Structures are given as C-alpha cells and as structure tokens.
Amino acid sequence: MSSTLGDLADATERSLWETKLACRDESFWYPYRSLTNIHRLERLCVAAGLDLLQVCRGPCRRIADIGAGDGDLAFFFEKMGFSVEIIDNEYTNFNRLEGARVLKEVMNSSVEIRSVDLDSQFALPHKKYDTVFFLGTLYHLKNPFFVLEKLARVTTRCFLSTRVAKRTPDGQSLAPYPVAYLLDPQECNNDDTNFWIFTDQGLKRLAHRTGWNILSYITVGETMSSTPADPDHDERAFCLLERRQATLSAFPNPVPAGKELGKTTVSWDTTDGSIGNVYVSIDGGKESLFADSRRGTAVADWIKTGPTYEFRLYNSDHTELLASVTVTRTNR
C-alpha cells in the first residue's frame, strides 16, 4: 500500500540512516526497520475508517512510542508536529537507549526519552496519552496482561504489533485456541527477553480481557504455518485497539411505585481492571460512597418517590468520572 505518508516515512528512514551512520558504525544501531510499519498502521486505520494522523491527535497533545528501538517512529511523528515520548527499558534496549539519545542531540529534537521497566509495577511519565504505539514489544514482556491493562488506563487508542503463531515447533495446530506458547530462553533468536507468543485467538482474547476493543486486525509474514521461533515461519499481528468505556447501569429504572421504599440494582465495570468507586448524589447534593470494586452489583433499597439519585463511577482516586446514571421513582 503506497501513500503520501508512507512515502514520507520511507524518505525519513533513509535520512535517519544517513544521520546514524555519520555518528556511529552500523553495528551500533538497532538493526530492524521501524518506519516500514507506517504502511501497516495506515492499513489498520483504513480498515477502521480512520486517518492515522487524526487518530494521533487529541486533547492530551501527546503520544508515546513504547519499545522504540532507536526512536525512528517517535522522531517521524515529531516531524509530523506531535509531542512524543520514547519509553523503553535501557537495560534491554538494543544499545541501552544511547542511539535514541544520540539522534535527539544531533537533530536538536524535543522528543522525551524515558527508561521504564514494563516488567515492574511501573508508572508512565504522564497520566494520559492520545495514542500509544506498542510495536514489537508485547512478546518481550513477562506479564503482557498487566501492561495492556495499564495502557488502557492512560490512552484511548493503541497500535499494537507482536509475533503470533499458528503451529507448535513440531507442527501441531494451535490456531483454533486462545493460547500462548512460552519460549525457552534461547529458542527464538537466542534472545532471553522473548517470552510469550500468542495465537491470533489468544491475542484477541487478551485484548478484550484487558479493556480493549479491536477496531482492525491484520497479519503479515508467514500467515499459513507460522511457528513461535523459526525465523522462516515468522508471523506478525498488527491491531488497532480502542479502550472500552466503563459501564454503569441501574435496573429497574425508573423504580416502580409502591408503599415501601423502592430498590434498584446498580451494576458497574471499569473494564481495565482498575478499582472503581461508585458514589451517589441525591438532588445534586453532596456525594457519598455507595460501593467500590473493579466490577460488581449492589442494591440501593432506599429509593423514594420525588428525589433524583445520580450514581457516578470514578477511578480509584476520585479524579476522573468514568460513567454516571440517574435513577428516579415513578409516583404511581
């Protein structure tokens, strides 16, 4: 797929390599091409009826490139006018992030470079991002479930790519099952930072269970008989994820009239694994805590005719309203 943006990415990659080789020997630099991914990201956006640059724009005015190699993607999007952060673990990065730092200095770039260990109970530098690029990193993590939940709390959309497999190394079919293959330390490219290789079904279920909807999904490479480790049977999945919105509902609503106090069952789900706090306000008055957990149901058995009850679902520190529902009671 050829496009103006894709062509610009190709030209930027060539220019970056000239800059890199003018600074250090080729062996110093991350050896894989990062900006060819722009063509694939555009395919994902077209399939979802979206525009890549529009996906990256939002109220936070910030995007993140997580697992960035030398930061080629980050520097490209900075060139497109975005504020970008490189987030990687310097202890597992190909050149300990020195490549990204060299390019930042040579190009007088404003891209921020942060070393973060995603296998720890990590915190990202900022609370919110418009979009996160998370390419070629998931299978390098011990706990991909935790990381994807964490990302669902800080961004609306995420471009994700990772290696997937349809068969075991000895040829048995994995494709129908939502599973992951755990690599031996030296089994894949002699790289002990490779861990989990999901099937397509496993990756899709992982996305759903960590709070995401899949807007579009493609695979490239050996798409017929891929295996977890063989370089000749390498398949990569690319997907555009959108965070699922938290839910809050009450049933019945309105609450039927009656001689006794009415009751309704309030249900909620933060969708991303975080703890939610449900507060209630009566006739716009002071909020009081009603319930708290990731998801659940609780009965409000004190509903009167006349007042208006607004239930509000917040994040755990009561700084972000996730959802709300107004409950009333009929008078007859």
Side-chain angles (χ1 to χ4, degrees):
M1 177 180 179
S2 179
S3 68
T4 302
L5 189 63
D7 292 341
L8 182 57
D10 294 339
T12 300
E13 185 170 61
R14 291 191 292 270
S15 175
L16 279 172
W17 266 112
E18 292 177 2
T19 301
K20 291 177 181 182
L21 295 178
C23 297
R24 299 288 180 89
D25 292 337
E26 183 176 352
S27 61
F28 168 80
W29 299 100
Y30 181 68
Y32 302 106
R33 298 177 63 190
S34 300
L35 288 179
T36 55
N37 287 325
I38 292 295
H39 296 277
R40 293 159 181 164
L41 301 183
E42 285 200 291
R43 282 179 61 191
L44 288 172
C45 288
V46 169
L50 300 168
D51 174 80
L52 176 55
L53 295 183
Q54 285 300 116
V55 168
C56 296
R57 294 191 179 98
C60 304
R61 307 180 68 85
R62 181 181 297 109
I63 61 179
D65 181 12
I66 300 179
D70 291 328
D72 294 19
L73 195 71
F75 294 118
F76 173 75
F77 276 99
E78 183 185 41
K79 186 176 180 179
M80 295 296 99
F82 294 93
S83 176
V84 192
E85 287 179 7
I86 290 172
I87 298 172
D88 208 332
N89 184 355
E90 63 182 306
Y91 298 104
T92 56
N93 178 269
F94 183 79
N95 50 39
R96 297 175 69 94
L97 281 174
E98 187 61 23
R101 294 187 180 105
V102 168
L103 289 175
K104 173 181 169 69
E105 181 176 359
V106 169
M107 297 190 300
N108 193 28
S109 167
S110 297
V111 166
E112 297 179 53
I113 301 173
R114 311 282 192 176
S115 179
V116 177
D117 180 6
L118 298 182
D119 277 325
S120 67
Q121 298 292 311
F122 68 93
L124 293 177
H126 295 277
K127 289 185 176 181
K128 293 293 179 182
Y129 298 84
D130 295 310
T131 301
V132 165
F133 293 91
F134 191 45
L135 307 179
T137 302
L138 189 74
Y139 66 99
H140 291 289
L141 301 177
K142 297 175 183 177
N143 193 347
F145 200 109
F146 172 78
V147 174
L148 285 178
E149 276 192 337
K150 192 84 168 183
L151 294 182
R153 299 169 198 169
V154 300
T155 189
T156 302
R157 287 179 176 147
C158 174
F159 290 95
L160 181 151
S161 75
T162 190
R163 184 165 179 166
V164 292
K166 288 184 168 63
R167 297 185 179 276
T168 63
D170 61 0
Q172 297 181 60
S173 177
L174 290 170
Y177 308 107
V179 298
Y181 178 92
L182 176 59
L183 291 159
D184 186 75
Q186 273 66 53
E187 186 175 2
C188 183
N189 297 328
N190 198 33
D191 182 350
D192 65 1
T193 72
N194 293 328
F195 294 98
W196 300 104
I197 306 298
F198 288 90
T199 62
D200 283 326
Q201 294 303 315
L203 182 59
K204 290 174 180 178
R205 182 168 293 184
L206 176 68
H208 179 77
R209 291 206 58 187
T210 52
W212 300 96
N213 289 322
I214 299 175
L215 299 184
S216 53
Y217 187 100
I218 61 173
T219 61
V220 300
E222 175 50 80
T223 60
M224 298 301 293
S225 58
S226 54
T227 60
D230 187 341
D232 295 326
H233 293 84
D234 188 325
E235 181 179 12
R236 304 287 165 135
F238 286 77
C239 46
L240 172 54
L241 307 178
E242 183 174 69
R243 183 185 66 208
R244 293 207 316 274
Q245 295 300 308
T247 61
L248 177 67
S249 62
F251 182 83
N253 186 24
V255 176
K259 295 181 180 180
E260 306 295 331
L261 291 175
K263 65 180 179 181
T264 188
T265 299
V266 178
S267 303
W268 69 96
D269 188 347
T270 61
T271 73
D272 61 12
S274 61
I275 298 298
N277 292 327
V278 181
Y279 283 79
V280 61
S281 169
I282 303 174
D283 287 338
K286 183 179 178 181
E287 294 179 331
S288 59
L289 182 64
F290 173 69
D292 60 341
S293 72
R294 296 175 175 85
R295 66 185 66 85
T297 60
V299 176
D301 56 4
W302 28 256
I303 305 299
K304 299 178 181 179
T305 301
T308 297
Y309 303 83
E310 185 177 9
F311 293 87
R312 301 166 186 162
L313 174 62
Y314 290 92
N315 61 346
S316 60
D317 58 7
H318 200 250
T319 58
E320 182 180 0
L321 178 64
L322 304 178
S324 64
V325 63
T326 299
V327 173
T328 58
R329 190 183 191 191
T330 58
N331 55 19
R332 60 178 179 176

mmCIF file of all heavy atoms in Angstrom, residues 222-257:
data_model
loop_
_atom_site.group_PDB
_atom_site.id
_atom_site.type_symbol
_atom_site.label_atom_id
_atom_site.label_comp_id
_atom_site.label_asym_id
_atom_site.label_seq_id
_atom_site.Cartn_x
_atom_site.Cartn_y
_atom_site.Cartn_z
ATOM 1 N N GLU A 222 4.638 -15.077 7.453
ATOM 2 C CA GLU A 222 4.205 -16.450 7.188
ATOM 3 C C GLU A 222 2.836 -16.670 7.834
ATOM 4 O O GLU A 222 2.735 -17.067 8.992
ATOM 5 C CB GLU A 222 5.238 -17.432 7.744
ATOM 6 C CG GLU A 222 4.838 -18.895 7.641
ATOM 7 C CD GLU A 222 4.379 -19.303 6.264
ATOM 8 O OE1 GLU A 222 5.251 -19.541 5.411
ATOM 9 O OE2 GLU A 222 3.152 -19.358 6.053
ATOM 10 N N THR A 223 1.792 -16.369 7.078
ATOM 11 C CA THR A 223 0.444 -16.370 7.642
ATOM 12 C C THR A 223 -0.258 -17.721 7.556
ATOM 13 O O THR A 223 -1.377 -17.857 8.043
ATOM 14 C CB THR A 223 -0.428 -15.317 6.940
ATOM 15 O OG1 THR A 223 -0.489 -15.630 5.534
ATOM 16 C CG2 THR A 223 0.150 -13.922 7.122
ATOM 17 N N MET A 224 0.386 -18.734 6.949
ATOM 18 C CA MET A 224 -0.262 -20.031 6.796
ATOM 19 C C MET A 224 0.201 -21.047 7.839
ATOM 20 O O MET A 224 -0.612 -21.797 8.377
ATOM 21 C CB MET A 224 0.000 -20.583 5.389
ATOM 22 C CG MET A 224 -0.559 -19.704 4.284
ATOM 23 S SD MET A 224 -2.351 -19.458 4.400
ATOM 24 C CE MET A 224 -2.914 -21.136 4.072
ATOM 25 N N SER A 225 1.490 -21.078 8.119
ATOM 26 C CA SER A 225 2.021 -22.120 9.017
ATOM 27 C C SER A 225 3.084 -21.556 9.944
ATOM 28 O O SER A 225 4.164 -22.135 10.099
ATOM 29 C CB SER A 225 2.577 -23.290 8.201
ATOM 30 O OG SER A 225 3.592 -22.839 7.313
ATOM 31 N N SER A 226 2.790 -20.422 10.565
ATOM 32 C CA SER A 226 3.758 -19.769 11.451
ATOM 33 C C SER A 226 4.000 -20.593 12.707
ATOM 34 O O SER A 226 3.136 -21.316 13.191
ATOM 35 C CB SER A 226 3.265 -18.373 11.825
ATOM 36 O OG SER A 226 1.953 -18.434 12.367
ATOM 37 N N THR A 227 5.219 -20.477 13.245
ATOM 38 C CA THR A 227 5.607 -21.148 14.485
ATOM 39 C C THR A 227 6.209 -20.113 15.438
ATOM 40 O O THR A 227 6.521 -19.003 15.032
ATOM 41 C CB THR A 227 6.634 -22.261 14.215
ATOM 42 O OG1 THR A 227 7.800 -21.684 13.618
ATOM 43 C CG2 THR A 227 6.055 -23.322 13.288
ATOM 44 N N PRO A 228 6.382 -20.443 16.705
ATOM 45 C CA PRO A 228 6.824 -19.440 17.671
ATOM 46 C C PRO A 228 8.247 -18.928 17.476
ATOM 47 O O PRO A 228 8.535 -17.799 17.878
ATOM 48 C CB PRO A 228 6.688 -20.165 19.015
ATOM 49 C CG PRO A 228 5.731 -21.266 18.779
ATOM 50 C CD PRO A 228 5.965 -21.697 17.373
ATOM 51 N N ALA A 229 9.157 -19.737 16.900
ATOM 52 C CA ALA A 229 10.568 -19.357 16.948
ATOM 53 C C ALA A 229 11.306 -19.415 15.621
ATOM 54 O O ALA A 229 12.304 -18.719 15.452
ATOM 55 C CB ALA A 229 11.302 -20.251 17.957
ATOM 56 N N ASP A 230 10.860 -20.217 14.686
ATOM 57 C CA ASP A 230 11.574 -20.395 13.427
ATOM 58 C C ASP A 230 11.554 -19.088 12.628
ATOM 59 O O ASP A 230 10.485 -18.571 12.300
ATOM 60 C CB ASP A 230 10.902 -21.511 12.624
ATOM 61 C CG ASP A 230 11.680 -21.895 11.363
ATOM 62 O OD1 ASP A 230 12.517 -21.093 10.907
ATOM 63 O OD2 ASP A 230 11.438 -22.995 10.841
ATOM 64 N N PRO A 231 12.735 -18.522 12.273
ATOM 65 C CA PRO A 231 12.757 -17.264 11.525
ATOM 66 C C PRO A 231 12.114 -17.364 10.149
ATOM 67 O O PRO A 231 11.687 -16.347 9.582
ATOM 68 C CB PRO A 231 14.253 -16.927 11.430
ATOM 69 C CG PRO A 231 14.964 -18.206 11.674
ATOM 70 C CD PRO A 231 14.098 -18.991 12.607
ATOM 71 N N ASP A 232 12.032 -18.571 9.590
ATOM 72 C CA ASP A 232 11.394 -18.759 8.286
ATOM 73 C C ASP A 232 9.883 -18.915 8.392
ATOM 74 O O ASP A 232 9.198 -19.002 7.370
ATOM 75 C CB ASP A 232 11.982 -19.987 7.580
ATOM 76 C CG ASP A 232 13.451 -19.806 7.229
ATOM 77 O OD1 ASP A 232 13.846 -18.660 6.920
ATOM 78 O OD2 ASP A 232 14.203 -20.794 7.286
ATOM 79 N N HIS A 233 9.363 -18.970 9.605
ATOM 80 C CA HIS A 233 7.912 -19.109 9.825
ATOM 81 C C HIS A 233 7.430 -18.044 10.819
ATOM 82 O O HIS A 233 6.702 -18.316 11.756
ATOM 83 C CB HIS A 233 7.569 -20.514 10.329
ATOM 84 C CG HIS A 233 7.805 -21.580 9.314
ATOM 85 N ND1 HIS A 233 9.039 -22.159 9.110
ATOM 86 C CD2 HIS A 233 6.967 -22.167 8.424
ATOM 87 C CE1 HIS A 233 8.951 -23.063 8.150
ATOM 88 N NE2 HIS A 233 7.706 -23.088 7.716
ATOM 89 N N ASP A 234 7.853 -16.818 10.574
ATOM 90 C CA ASP A 234 7.577 -15.680 11.450
ATOM 91 C C ASP A 234 6.327 -14.951 10.956
ATOM 92 O O ASP A 234 6.275 -14.492 9.811
ATOM 93 C CB ASP A 234 8.789 -14.738 11.446
ATOM 94 C CG ASP A 234 8.679 -13.619 12.464
ATOM 95 O OD1 ASP A 234 7.562 -13.130 12.714
ATOM 96 O OD2 ASP A 234 9.723 -13.205 12.992
ATOM 97 N N GLU A 235 5.330 -14.845 11.818
ATOM 98 C CA GLU A 235 4.113 -14.105 11.508
ATOM 99 C C GLU A 235 3.915 -13.009 12.543
ATOM 100 O O GLU A 235 4.116 -13.228 13.742
ATOM 101 C CB GLU A 235 2.893 -15.040 11.512
ATOM 102 C CG GLU A 235 1.586 -14.331 11.166
ATOM 103 C CD GLU A 235 0.392 -15.275 11.159
ATOM 104 O OE1 GLU A 235 0.535 -16.428 11.636
ATOM 105 O OE2 GLU A 235 -0.692 -14.856 10.684
ATOM 106 N N ARG A 236 3.544 -11.835 12.063
ATOM 107 C CA ARG A 236 3.307 -10.699 12.965
ATOM 108 C C ARG A 236 1.864 -10.228 12.844
ATOM 109 O O ARG A 236 1.326 -10.088 11.741
ATOM 110 C CB ARG A 236 4.243 -9.530 12.628
ATOM 111 C CG ARG A 236 5.719 -9.893 12.654
ATOM 112 C CD ARG A 236 6.225 -10.082 14.062
ATOM 113 N NE ARG A 236 7.508 -10.756 14.110
ATOM 114 C CZ ARG A 236 8.529 -10.366 14.881
ATOM 115 N NH1 ARG A 236 8.403 -9.318 15.665
ATOM 116 N NH2 ARG A 236 9.654 -11.063 14.877
ATOM 117 N N ALA A 237 1.251 -9.976 13.986
ATOM 118 C CA ALA A 237 -0.086 -9.387 14.029
ATOM 119 C C ALA A 237 0.035 -7.901 14.321
ATOM 120 O O ALA A 237 0.845 -7.484 15.160
ATOM 121 C CB ALA A 237 -0.936 -10.064 15.097
ATOM 122 N N PHE A 238 -0.759 -7.107 13.624
ATOM 123 C CA PHE A 238 -0.878 -5.672 13.867
ATOM 124 C C PHE A 238 -2.347 -5.382 14.151
ATOM 125 O O PHE A 238 -3.226 -5.831 13.406
ATOM 126 C CB PHE A 238 -0.430 -4.861 12.648
ATOM 127 C CG PHE A 238 1.057 -4.838 12.430
ATOM 128 C CD1 PHE A 238 1.704 -5.932 11.879
ATOM 129 C CD2 PHE A 238 1.812 -3.724 12.781
ATOM 130 C CE1 PHE A 238 3.074 -5.927 11.674
ATOM 131 C CE2 PHE A 238 3.184 -3.700 12.577
ATOM 132 C CZ PHE A 238 3.816 -4.804 12.028
ATOM 133 N N CYS A 239 -2.608 -4.656 15.223
ATOM 134 C CA CYS A 239 -4.001 -4.329 15.521
ATOM 135 C C CYS A 239 -4.122 -2.913 16.067
ATOM 136 O O CYS A 239 -3.191 -2.383 16.698
ATOM 137 C CB CYS A 239 -4.633 -5.333 16.469
ATOM 138 S SG CYS A 239 -3.660 -5.787 17.900
ATOM 139 N N LEU A 240 -5.256 -2.315 15.764
ATOM 140 C CA LEU A 240 -5.615 -1.009 16.308
ATOM 141 C C LEU A 240 -6.638 -1.247 17.401
ATOM 142 O O LEU A 240 -7.729 -1.773 17.145
ATOM 143 C CB LEU A 240 -6.183 -0.111 15.213
ATOM 144 C CG LEU A 240 -6.781 1.230 15.663
ATOM 145 C CD1 LEU A 240 -5.796 2.044 16.495
ATOM 146 C CD2 LEU A 240 -7.252 2.030 14.441
ATOM 147 N N LEU A 241 -6.268 -0.887 18.616
ATOM 148 C CA LEU A 241 -7.121 -1.104 19.779
ATOM 149 C C LEU A 241 -7.741 0.210 20.243
ATOM 150 O O LEU A 241 -7.103 1.263 20.173
ATOM 151 C CB LEU A 241 -6.302 -1.696 20.935
ATOM 152 C CG LEU A 241 -5.484 -2.951 20.647
ATOM 153 C CD1 LEU A 241 -4.704 -3.351 21.897
ATOM 154 C CD2 LEU A 241 -6.382 -4.081 20.180
ATOM 155 N N GLU A 242 -8.959 0.122 20.715
ATOM 156 C CA GLU A 242 -9.629 1.274 21.319
ATOM 157 C C GLU A 242 -10.134 0.865 22.697
ATOM 158 O O GLU A 242 -10.778 -0.172 22.841
ATOM 159 C CB GLU A 242 -10.795 1.741 20.455
ATOM 160 C CG GLU A 242 -11.491 2.991 20.988
ATOM 161 C CD GLU A 242 -12.540 3.501 20.027
ATOM 162 O OE1 GLU A 242 -13.573 2.813 19.867
ATOM 163 O OE2 GLU A 242 -12.328 4.561 19.420
ATOM 164 N N ARG A 243 -9.819 1.670 23.687
ATOM 165 C CA ARG A 243 -10.214 1.356 25.062
ATOM 166 C C ARG A 243 -11.735 1.263 25.172
ATOM 167 O O ARG A 243 -12.468 2.122 24.690
ATOM 168 C CB ARG A 243 -9.707 2.449 25.998
ATOM 169 C CG ARG A 243 -10.012 2.180 27.478
ATOM 170 C CD ARG A 243 -9.593 3.362 28.327
ATOM 171 N NE ARG A 243 -10.394 4.534 28.035
ATOM 172 C CZ ARG A 243 -9.980 5.783 28.185
ATOM 173 N NH1 ARG A 243 -8.755 6.040 28.586
ATOM 174 N NH2 ARG A 243 -10.783 6.790 27.914
ATOM 175 N N ARG A 244 -12.209 0.196 25.820
ATOM 176 C CA ARG A 244 -13.634 0.078 26.105
ATOM 177 C C ARG A 244 -14.017 1.064 27.201
ATOM 178 O O ARG A 244 -13.297 1.228 28.181
ATOM 179 C CB ARG A 244 -13.999 -1.346 26.540
ATOM 180 C CG ARG A 244 -13.834 -2.371 25.457
ATOM 181 C CD ARG A 244 -14.764 -3.567 25.632
ATOM 182 N NE ARG A 244 -14.840 -4.058 27.005
ATOM 183 C CZ ARG A 244 -13.998 -4.925 27.542
ATOM 184 N NH1 ARG A 244 -12.968 -5.359 26.845
ATOM 185 N NH2 ARG A 244 -14.152 -5.336 28.782
ATOM 186 N N GLN A 245 -15.168 1.660 27.051
ATOM 187 C CA GLN A 245 -15.624 2.620 28.044
ATOM 188 C C GLN A 245 -16.159 1.890 29.274
ATOM 189 O O GLN A 245 -16.753 0.815 29.174
ATOM 190 C CB GLN A 245 -16.712 3.514 27.450
ATOM 191 C CG GLN A 245 -16.226 4.396 26.312
ATOM 192 C CD GLN A 245 -15.111 5.328 26.745
ATOM 193 O OE1 GLN A 245 -15.233 6.057 27.728
ATOM 194 N NE2 GLN A 245 -14.000 5.304 26.019
ATOM 195 N N ALA A 246 -15.934 2.471 30.432
ATOM 196 C CA ALA A 246 -16.505 1.939 31.662
ATOM 197 C C ALA A 246 -18.028 1.966 31.574
ATOM 198 O O ALA A 246 -18.616 2.808 30.881
ATOM 199 C CB ALA A 246 -16.033 2.763 32.857
ATOM 200 N N THR A 247 -18.673 1.042 32.279
ATOM 201 C CA THR A 247 -20.136 0.960 32.232
ATOM 202 C C THR A 247 -20.722 1.118 33.628
ATOM 203 O O THR A 247 -20.131 0.706 34.629
ATOM 204 C CB THR A 247 -20.595 -0.384 31.640
ATOM 205 O OG1 THR A 247 -20.118 -1.463 32.462
ATOM 206 C CG2 THR A 247 -20.077 -0.568 30.228
ATOM 207 N N LEU A 248 -21.916 1.715 33.670
ATOM 208 C CA LEU A 248 -22.666 1.886 34.921
ATOM 209 C C LEU A 248 -24.142 1.894 34.555
ATOM 210 O O LEU A 248 -24.563 2.637 33.666
ATOM 211 C CB LEU A 248 -22.278 3.196 35.601
ATOM 212 C CG LEU A 248 -23.020 3.558 36.890
ATOM 213 C CD1 LEU A 248 -22.670 2.585 38.007
ATOM 214 C CD2 LEU A 248 -22.660 4.990 37.314
ATOM 215 N N SER A 249 -24.928 1.048 35.222
ATOM 216 C CA SER A 249 -26.350 0.973 34.906
ATOM 217 C C SER A 249 -27.142 0.686 36.178
ATOM 218 O O SER A 249 -26.577 0.279 37.203
ATOM 219 C CB SER A 249 -26.620 -0.117 33.870
ATOM 220 O OG SER A 249 -26.250 -1.397 34.367
ATOM 221 N N ALA A 250 -28.438 0.898 36.094
ATOM 222 C CA ALA A 250 -29.341 0.611 37.224
ATOM 223 C C ALA A 250 -30.608 -0.034 36.694
ATOM 224 O O ALA A 250 -31.155 0.399 35.668
ATOM 225 C CB ALA A 250 -29.673 1.894 37.974
ATOM 226 N N PHE A 251 -31.068 -1.077 37.372
ATOM 227 C CA PHE A 251 -32.295 -1.760 36.957
ATOM 228 C C PHE A 251 -33.068 -2.217 38.196
ATOM 229 O O PHE A 251 -32.472 -2.796 39.107
ATOM 230 C CB PHE A 251 -31.968 -2.977 36.084
ATOM 231 C CG PHE A 251 -33.194 -3.673 35.598
ATOM 232 C CD1 PHE A 251 -33.874 -3.208 34.474
ATOM 233 C CD2 PHE A 251 -33.692 -4.783 36.268
ATOM 234 C CE1 PHE A 251 -35.023 -3.852 34.044
ATOM 235 C CE2 PHE A 251 -34.836 -5.428 35.831
ATOM 236 C CZ PHE A 251 -35.505 -4.959 34.715
ATOM 237 N N PRO A 252 -34.365 -1.941 38.252
ATOM 238 C CA PRO A 252 -35.134 -1.182 37.261
ATOM 239 C C PRO A 252 -34.891 0.323 37.404
ATOM 240 O O PRO A 252 -34.495 0.811 38.465
ATOM 241 C CB PRO A 252 -36.583 -1.533 37.620
ATOM 242 C CG PRO A 252 -36.541 -1.788 39.096
ATOM 243 C CD PRO A 252 -35.212 -2.455 39.350
ATOM 244 N N ASN A 253 -35.145 1.026 36.328
ATOM 245 C CA ASN A 253 -35.014 2.480 36.310
ATOM 246 C C ASN A 253 -35.924 3.024 35.206
ATOM 247 O O ASN A 253 -35.692 2.731 34.039
ATOM 248 C CB ASN A 253 -33.567 2.881 36.050
ATOM 249 C CG ASN A 253 -33.349 4.372 36.164
ATOM 250 O OD1 ASN A 253 -34.094 5.082 36.841
ATOM 251 N ND2 ASN A 253 -32.335 4.864 35.471
ATOM 252 N N PRO A 254 -36.967 3.764 35.567
ATOM 253 C CA PRO A 254 -37.307 4.210 36.924
ATOM 254 C C PRO A 254 -37.782 3.060 37.810
ATOM 255 O O PRO A 254 -38.255 2.038 37.334
ATOM 256 C CB PRO A 254 -38.414 5.232 36.690
ATOM 257 C CG PRO A 254 -39.017 4.851 35.382
ATOM 258 C CD PRO A 254 -37.910 4.302 34.543
ATOM 259 N N VAL A 255 -37.640 3.276 39.100
ATOM 260 C CA VAL A 255 -38.069 2.287 40.099
ATOM 261 C C VAL A 255 -39.594 2.362 40.225
ATOM 262 O O VAL A 255 -40.156 3.452 40.337
ATOM 263 C CB VAL A 255 -37.391 2.576 41.452
ATOM 264 C CG1 VAL A 255 -37.892 1.625 42.519
ATOM 265 C CG2 VAL A 255 -35.874 2.498 41.303
ATOM 266 N N PRO A 256 -40.282 1.218 40.196
ATOM 267 C CA PRO A 256 -41.749 1.246 40.285
ATOM 268 C C PRO A 256 -42.242 1.843 41.607
ATOM 269 O O PRO A 256 -41.576 1.734 42.646
ATOM 270 C CB PRO A 256 -42.138 -0.238 40.182
ATOM 271 C CG PRO A 256 -40.953 -0.906 39.544
ATOM 272 C CD PRO A 256 -39.757 -0.136 40.017
ATOM 273 N N ALA A 257 -43.400 2.439 41.569
ATOM 274 C CA ALA A 257 -44.028 2.995 42.775
ATOM 275 C C ALA A 257 -44.458 1.855 43.703
ATOM 276 O O ALA A 257 -44.607 0.704 43.290
ATOM 277 C CB ALA A 257 -45.223 3.848 42.384
#
